[in-house]
Amino acid sequence: MSRLHSAAAVTTVCALSAAALLAVPLAATGAELGIRINEVESSGGVPGDWIEFVNTSDVVVDLSGFVVRDNGDDESYVFPEGTLVEPGAHLVLDEAGSGVDGFTFGLGKDDQVRLFDPSATLVDETSWTAHAAVTWGAREVAGTVEWAETSESTKGTANVFASDTPLGGSIVINEVDSQPADWVEFYNSGDAALDISGYEIRDNSDDHRWQFLPGTQIAAGAFLVVEEGTIGLVDGAETAFRDPIGIGSADRIRLFDAGGALIDDTLPWEGHAAIDGDSIAATLARCPDGEGAFVLAHPTMGGSNSCVMPDVVINEIESNGDATDWVEVMNSGSTAVDISGWTLMDGDPVGHAAETTPLPAGTVLEPGAYFVFDQPTDFVFGLGNGDTATVRDANLNVVDEHVYDAHAAGVLARCADGSGDFIDIAESTKGQANACGNAVRINEVESDGGSPGDWVELVNPTASVLDVSGIVVKDDDDTHSYAIPAGTTIGAGGYLVIEGADLGFGLGGGDTVRLFDDGLVVDSTTWEGHAATTWGRCPDVTGAFAVTAESTKGEANICAGEIEVAPWPGSAEVRVLDTAPTFLEDSSGLDVQETADGSFLWAVDNGDGRIWKLEAHADGSFSQIPGWESGKRVRFQKDASDPGAAGPDTEGITVDGEGAVYVASERDNSAKGVNQNILLKVDPEASAGDLVAEQEWDLTALLPDVGANLGMEAVQWVPDSALEGALFDINSGTAYDPADYAGHGGGLFFVAVEDNGHVYAFALGGDGQATVVSEIAPGLTGVMALDYDSVLDVLWAVCDDGCQGQSAQITLNGTAQPGLAHFARPAGMPDINNEGFATAPASLSVDGERPVWWFADGFASKALRVGTLPGVTGEIPGEIPGETPGENPGENPGAIPGANPGDGNGVTAPSGLAATGSEVPVAMIALALMLVIAGALVARRRRHSS
């Protein structure tokens, strides 16, 4: 706002012409409150503090000789002769400074403004105990003047308050519980009730919808909770919330108004909320209510949210003595924390609101790591001689705060580092572990099975040689003590290993290692149970302790962690195949089958259990097959005589080596509130219409207990010839031997569970019994699709938009830890709910590329997309599935021209493989090895860089 002032720094804004009015001195007339204090800026004004007066009378007021004071009598301001204020006009008095005359006293955060007439009679006063976020202003309420915080600074004009502008009703998603119960809380932050009739809740799929009943309202300032059993509308029918929507571990919740416009979105999350592993004790919520991103919280169904603050603590404070003031924070937890938007504040959050800068997007604090809020980059105010340091998140929630009485002689630092009390220490360690005694730190511990026995590794985290003479090492028993000999040093960034024989005591399965410097604990670590490898800092030197990926005695730690996500190994571009509606809107699984008649793409819809058979081409396109244009419905055996039954919720599809089709159902669509994981086998040519299951396997009791809509999401048949000696069998503890599972057929069925993202291999018996053979954790929060890639001899596990379309390539190696490599979705693939995935066999390779398909849920068209993966060059002669090479004398359809079958120039692919049945030339083997090795190197690089 522009600023007007006289030589005496008085601004008068006229409402009427002064020439038409008579100036009447207030004191002379004895009028009461003809002039009053109207608005006060006590911090952050332009050019400084200011006081606004208003003339509420119908005559001009002469303020000549009137006196203004704050809460002290040592300084005052006297209005000069000729200071007139017209009726209805405002007058502003500025703080002196920067060439401006005015009052010389500053207004504090606990202060007062008083106005006296020339006879020293008090005319008006106001006081406050804290700076206002904007300004303090006066308003008339029922004939009485009261003071309140304004909603905007209105220097020289009428005051504006938040309540002056009705907000109306509003609604946002406020809290979500996905485990063990599903519920969503909404919040109306407005000042009026809101009618939400017809408003719609959706999860991460647009075909999972539930509407509020007509007449539903959310009251002003109130919370509204939708639980699993809350009744709403689905397609006009009254339906419980649990039926269309099961809130998963990798999911999202969205709110749409009655017209279909998006109102609010939690955005996708990965993993059920849990506190110390307890999902009952946790939800995802906004703090404060209705604002900001969703974070981990304590459940407060129907009440104000209580969010869990990250394990980030103020660790060191420099307020006097360095070139700049600064505050160091440390992540004392075991997970990385996104500190984007976080700010530092001192004891004057209102006055210094404009003097702090939020941290930029993408600022992440790793476990055990440090970050320094520094002047002037992150704040420009100074930390006083007795002040408060407050770290706030992006929503201005207080993460940590420390109040101190005076400057430290050195610095204020926590001892022990990251957890102890603040003490005054001499040495500043900006951005590093606090100098609480010797800087040496424990880095890795072997408590069981080491070579030659137990050992403790220490590290020097500093940039200079460190003398560790006399440092004492103890376990959890004070009588077990070892003193490092005199003259022992560790080079900069170096390691020192103390063998168990030197320690003189052993380390137990639940034990502690502590380091003492002259009686002060400088570092310690505690574990429960021997680590499978070793117990070490992750990342090396600076991180919190965790089980390491491998023992690295005397070297940098190698830590288990997230697998690096590599770019998609095929083309960046994808294209839509079904530009016109071809399928229904509940698209799910895909699989590829190769036969003597060509390659076929199988697709399934989960809405009514419908499957399609399509002819697949080398360019990725498909052709409709007569009789399959509308697909065929799969029905439970129990519904054989009921064609109107709702049918299975079919999420996945696969074809075995004999051409039989199997679909994976996670529930009966007539009872959507119940999880029931069933595999159904059908003969696709048994009928021109519906296909009733020939056989069924109920896997529910063999899979984790999950929500109704969070069960079996995918199925893939893999031939025994690809699994023998390669798949780890959890029953035998060794590599899989097909002979151990009599009557199971020629392969195993892999199924994926959405809720935990794990993959399970089953041997299916002819009697309807099933046996779990193996369990694989691909490292994804959810798995929506599976595919066996016969070219690379790997199993693909694919997630949907709950984890940005990432995929895992699983290389079976005969151990309980298969090789894993993660890939991002192609750059040209939108982040959509892809629930189907299939790779083409080698026979569809053209110019070194082959098709790969994705199938997205929630689209009437544009559901099926195709991209590429590396293929093989040249023609790939194909063996007819179902035939064994050598069965027809004189014929070997898989032979490489000019090569002998056993000369090492080729290998025979699994006979009868649904995806492909072909002999694989050396070029293809080399390609497969290169891609698999590349994936392994990606994972290895990640482990070494953690």
Side-chain angles (χ1 to χ4, degrees), residues 74-99:
D74 54 331
E75 292 186 89
S76 62
Y77 174 83
V78 179
F79 284 104
E81 288 295 322
T83 304
L84 306 178
V85 186
E86 300 172 10
H90 298 80
L91 177 147
V92 176
L93 181 63
D94 280 307
E95 181 180 8
S98 302

Side-chain angles (χ1 to χ4, degrees), residues 115 282 432 443 579 616 846:
L115 177 65
Q432 298 178 346
N443 197 55
T579 53
V846 175

